Amino acid sequence: MISKFDFLLVSHAKPQIGTFNSFFAYAKSINKCSNYKVALIYPSFGNDLKIRSEKINKNLYFISLPCLNYHKYFNLQLIRLICLFFILLRFEYKSILASGFSQPQIALPITLIKILKKKKVVYLWDDIWGNGLGLRISFIVNKVFLICERISLKFCDHVIYPSSYFEKRISKLKKPSTKIYQPYIDKNKKKNNPSDLKYLKKNFKIKKNQKIIVCMGNAFFDTENIILKALNNLKDHMDFKCIFVGRFEPSKKNKKKFSLLLKNNIINAGFVKNRKFFNDIMNIADLYILPMARNIIEESRFPVRILDYLNRKKIIVSNATGELRYLFKKYNLGILTQYSFQSFSKGIKKGLNLSKRNKNLFYQKQHLALVSEFNYRKTANKLISILK
């Protein structure tokens, strides 16, 4: 295994999860704009007890750490803590960029390496773990997150963040910081002929005249009820199918309450690894929805799945909050609704009935946002200046 790099990017998240996608985009942007050698370190997606290395190209490597999915929240974090420590101890590099610094398997090995090897440490702060996500797991886990957060931020050199929510909190730390969005790199170059997507309609049993809605996501924090209520309201006005891509698992209560909706109008595609199949699902849609709740977790985060929505010439409907609401208003990215399921449902109905002229106006604004806010060259230059 090659052990000499310029930058190590350590993601707490598995492949196909939001923060991993951000780190992969960071790595690719650096890769495209420079000759710096980058390693992206992350937990294995499936059950795997080995450390594996994969060469993507001459300057980009993947290193996956052991993972065993035996519990909803626990999957060999202690083993990864040990593995990461020895990798960081053995490898040669200039700096580390890491996410999930509130978690022990990230915070402890990186802090020890900072003390032992005096390497530059940069953290991405993109989620509220302590007094946020931690409270949804347990009181003890939340306390651990808060302790790790304090330790990590004390021993780091720089903090990057995608949401303005964190600006005040970071300013109190008196640490250098930079606002950075996930860069947009991959283009949806090939436009499918409608006839090419007939197989998908057949597989999903979508009728000829049914409207197709797509919703992406892995963490539906308090938005499950809004989505189901909005779609349930919509089904009284039009015939549609809503395809969920990612992890959408309705509660037992909602499975019973919305049984007819889930049976007749919902398609749960789950995680989609195949890129062509993913693009086909996105291209078959008439409209995308991006629901957000009103809580500290949603208000602080930046849903990076917006980048899978933009530049595909599709209408986006969202009841966005926080940073995304700011961008929706700044660029008029799509139809912005109020929080309620009634407003969300009306927004979806409106989006499905827009004129071609109004659709094109939204598409132009979406492209402008990509070029202005998510430019990979600008992002790469920012990251390199911080990490080198």
Side-chain angles (χ1 to χ4, degrees):
M1 183 189 296
I2 188 168
S3 60
K4 191 172 183 179
F5 298 94
D6 293 298
F7 312 135
L8 299 184
L9 275 55
V10 183
S11 168
H12 76 283
K14 301 177 186 179
Q16 299 186 47
I17 305 298
T19 305
F20 173 88
N21 293 335
S22 293
F23 270 51
F24 190 21
Y26 293 158
K28 286 193 290 185
S29 66
I30 293 170
N31 202 224
K32 286 174 75 73
C33 298
S34 72
N35 290 317
Y36 287 108
K37 188 168 285 187
V38 179
L40 176 52
I41 304 171
Y42 57 91
S44 172
F45 181 79
N47 295 326
D48 193 345
L49 300 179
K50 294 184 178 180
I51 298 174
R52 300 185 187 276
S53 176
E54 179 185 359
K55 182 179 180 180
I56 306 303
N57 59 49
K58 68 174 184 178
N59 286 326
L60 179 58
Y61 285 75
F62 279 2
I63 299 172
S64 64
L65 302 181
C67 184
L68 187 63
N69 300 298
Y70 62 89
H71 187 275
K72 184 177 180 180
Y73 297 114
F74 305 107
N75 50 31
L76 299 187
Q77 281 94 332
L78 179 59
I79 300 299
R80 289 201 297 279
L81 185 159
I82 297 167
C83 291
L84 180 59
F85 174 73
F86 283 106
I87 285 173
L88 297 179
L89 191 64
R90 176 173 171 255
F91 281 17
E92 294 181 43
Y93 50 91
K94 295 177 181 177
S95 56
I96 302 166
L97 169 62
S99 66
F101 59 86
S102 300
Q103 300 183 34
Q105 74 274 16
I106 299 293
L108 299 184
I110 291 178
T111 300
L112 285 172
I113 289 300
K114 174 66 181 175
I115 294 168
L116 294 172
K117 296 182 74 172
K118 310 297 182 186
K119 296 294 183 181
K120 180 184 284 187
V121 172
V122 180
Y123 284 125
L124 167 67
W125 202 349
D126 65 343
D127 270 315
I128 295 292
W129 291 93
N131 289 336
L133 291 159
L135 292 172
R136 292 173 178 262
I137 302 173
S138 76
F139 174 80
I140 295 173
V141 168
N142 186 60
K143 286 293 183 184
V144 171
F145 284 170
L146 289 170
I147 292 168
C148 288
E149 191 176 289
R150 286 197 292 270
I151 293 170
S152 296
L153 293 172
K154 181 180 179 180
F155 287 95
C156 76
D157 300 286
H158 201 109
V159 180
I160 65 173
Y161 59 97
S163 172
S164 297
Y165 176 90
F166 294 104
E167 282 182 9
K168 288 183 180 179
R169 299 186 69 163
I170 294 170
S171 65
K172 292 177 183 177
L173 301 172
K174 297 181 180 179
K175 294 275 184 181
S177 63
T178 308
K179 186 176 183 179
I180 298 179
Y181 291 135
Q182 175 182 316
Y184 178 80
I185 299 176
D186 295 327
K187 294 181 180 179
N188 189 31
K189 293 178 182 178
K190 188 178 178 182
K191 184 76 175 178
N192 293 72
N193 188 303
S195 61
D196 295 339
L197 299 174
K198 282 184 178 179
Y199 85 94
L200 203 57
K201 287 190 174 184
K202 186 177 180 181
N203 286 354
F204 285 149
K205 297 179 181 178
I206 298 172
K207 297 173 188 174
K208 185 177 180 181
N209 295 319
Q210 277 186 313
K211 296 293 185 180
I212 303 171
I213 301 166
V214 167
C215 181
M216 284 183 62
N218 295 310
F220 293 93
F221 299 111
D222 299 335
T223 57
E224 181 185 312
N225 288 333
I226 297 167
I227 298 167
L228 294 175
K229 285 180 180 179
L231 295 177
N232 198 53
N233 182 277
L234 187 68
K235 75 177 175 61
D236 295 330
H237 302 280
M238 62 176 62
D239 191 15
F240 69 91
K241 289 282 189 181
C242 184
I243 305 172
F244 283 88
V245 179
R247 186 174 58 213
F248 180 65
E249 301 170 354
S251 64
K252 288 182 180 180
K253 181 182 176 180
N254 279 336
K255 282 180 180 178
K256 185 176 181 181
K257 184 178 180 180
F258 298 102
S259 58
L260 286 177
L261 175 72
L262 292 166
K263 180 182 178 182
N264 299 325
N265 301 92
I266 304 295
I267 298 167
N268 201 338
F271 286 104
V272 179
K273 287 187 176 182
N274 184 287
R275 192 67 192 176
K276 181 186 181 302
F277 186 52
F278 172 79
N279 281 326
D280 286 350
I281 292 175
M282 301 304 286
N283 289 333
I284 204 175
D286 295 300
L287 177 143
Y288 301 145
I289 58 174
L290 202 164
M292 295 186 75
R294 296 299 186 267
N295 56 45
I296 190 173
I297 298 171
E298 291 280 72
E299 288 169 11
S300 63
R301 71 206 302 256
F302 182 79
V304 294
R305 60 188 180 276
I306 188 66
L307 292 177
D308 286 305
Y309 286 4
L310 295 173
N311 206 34
R312 290 181 183 270
K313 293 192 174 180
K314 303 289 182 181
I315 296 300
I316 306 167
V317 178
S318 179
N319 62 348
T321 186
E323 193 71 22
L324 188 59
R325 192 171 188 86
Y326 159 75
L327 287 175
F328 256 82
K329 287 183 174 181
K330 181 178 180 180
Y331 290 99
N332 199 18
L333 296 178
I335 296 171
L336 185 62
T337 76
Q338 297 303 310
Y339 174 63
S340 70
F341 78 87
Q342 295 95 334
S343 178
F344 199 44
S345 183
K346 284 181 183 177
I348 297 170
K349 188 179 178 182
K350 180 182 177 181
L352 290 169
N353 290 293
L354 283 175
S355 67
K356 187 175 180 180
R357 178 180 175 277
N358 286 335
K359 286 181 180 179
N360 286 331
L361 289 173
F362 279 123
Y363 303 155
Q364 290 169 17
K365 296 291 186 179
Q366 290 171 6
H367 180 72
L368 178 61
L370 277 177
V371 174
S372 305
E373 302 287 352
F374 306 104
N375 184 290
Y376 76 87
R377 292 187 184 278
K378 291 180 182 178
T379 300
N381 290 335
K382 284 183 181 179
L383 288 170
I384 291 167
S385 68
I386 294 167
L387 293 169
K388 69 181 182 180

